[in-house]
Amino acid sequence: MSETTAPGAPDFERVCFQLQVKPERIDEYRERHAAVWPDMLRALEATGWHNYSLFLRDDGLLIGYVETPSIVDAQAAMARTAVNARWQAEMGDFFVDLDVAPDEGFLRLTEVFHLEDQLAALDADAASDPARSGTRTESSDS
């Protein structure tokens, strides 16, 4: 699990996912997300969805990002809310090849790089072995 590295910050998973919005529904999808229902916003916040963003490409590729103590727990908590059931029912038809609710059918992406994690590891190495505190440059080995 990836974590935030700010001092005193709680441990959070960084979750990135993708879905595909139907091309003919892209404009309406944008409109719906420009003014999400207030009770949906409050429910997301209350169930552990933090720093949650959606990014939509012109061809309908949707990328989502959220930080949460546990995506499994956050999804389960949202599943217990009435507002989520209504929202998922309305949003389900916006997506290509999705036969479950959107919040259950997204493809989770694997994080392969996080700057703060690597900087923290570098700082930890330097603190434990001052001889290693130099700057490492790109390898010239082939």
Side-chain angles (χ1 to χ4, degrees), residues 33-111:
H33 284 81
V36 172
W37 306 333
D39 50 341
M40 183 65 173
L41 298 173
R42 297 287 183 222
L44 286 164
E45 178 184 42
T47 59
W49 297 71
H50 305 286
N51 203 23
Y52 184 26
S53 297
L54 296 172
F55 302 87
L56 184 60
R57 203 165 65 180
D58 288 343
D59 66 356
L61 176 66
L62 180 75
I63 300 295
Y65 174 82
V66 63
E67 295 172 355
T68 183
S70 164
I71 192 63
V72 171
D73 292 346
Q75 286 177 297
M78 279 303 290
R80 292 188 297 269
T81 67
V83 67
N84 189 61
R86 291 192 318 272
W87 182 264
Q88 297 306 320
E90 287 204 17
M91 292 293 110
D93 193 45
F94 281 84
F95 298 99
V96 174
D97 296 327
L98 196 60
D99 43 352
V100 296
D103 65 343
E104 297 172 12
F106 60 68
L107 173 63
R108 187 168 174 179
L109 305 177
T110 302
E111 183 178 55

